[in-house]
Amino acid sequence: MNQQQRTTDVALDDIPIDIAAAQTTNVEPGDVPDEIASITRALAQDQPPTNPLVVLKAARWWYIHGKGGTDPAFQWAVEWTRHLASGTPSDSTLFDTFLEYLVTVGFADERNQLR
């Protein structure tokens, strides 16, 4: 068992999923596993990840531990995956909401620090 995982965790990969903390409204940066935090920060960059499976890994974590289907990090990850799969332009409003959410969660003090 991975050292980060507890016996109450369920996971399909090395990213722990704490069922007791599912669908919370208060995500703290320290609660986000390093790999998910890295992917999330990369989604805010000028050159985000281009592997949809990597992006969906972060989407899954945010869906479970964030606000579910309304979580801005989840929504942006799904939107970016849709863009990667279809080549259609992504929704800039979702991206702006995602950046604001990362500031609210504590990933940065200001939006421009994320880019």
Side-chain angles (χ1 to χ4, degrees):
M1 180 181 303
N2 184 319
Q3 290 179 340
Q4 291 180 343
Q5 289 182 317
R6 296 181 303 259
T7 57
T8 58
D9 290 346
V10 177
L12 301 174
D13 51 30
D14 291 339
I15 304 299
I17 298 172
D18 185 355
I19 300 301
Q23 304 279 306
T24 62
T25 57
N26 297 324
V27 175
E28 299 291 328
D31 296 337
V32 182
D34 292 341
E35 182 179 4
I36 299 302
S38 176
I39 296 167
T40 302
R41 283 188 180 92
L43 284 167
Q45 300 295 312
D46 290 332
Q47 296 183 1
T50 56
N51 183 332
L53 296 176
V54 169
V55 177
L56 288 173
K57 183 184 253 187
R60 180 190 68 181
W61 191 91
W62 284 102
Y63 180 86
I64 293 169
H65 294 93
K67 301 174 184 180
T70 63
D71 188 272
F74 166 77
Q75 290 179 339
W76 176 249
V78 170
E79 174 65 10
W80 184 249
T81 301
R82 185 195 61 77
H83 163 74
L84 292 172
S86 67
T88 57
S90 55
D91 184 337
S92 62
T93 303
L94 285 177
F95 182 69
D96 291 339
T97 302
F98 165 65
L99 293 179
E100 288 298 325
Y101 180 63
L102 291 184
V103 170
T104 302
V105 169
F107 274 73
D109 293 328
E110 298 178 21
R111 284 177 49 160
N112 63 353
Q113 293 175 323
L114 296 165
R115 302 280 308 175

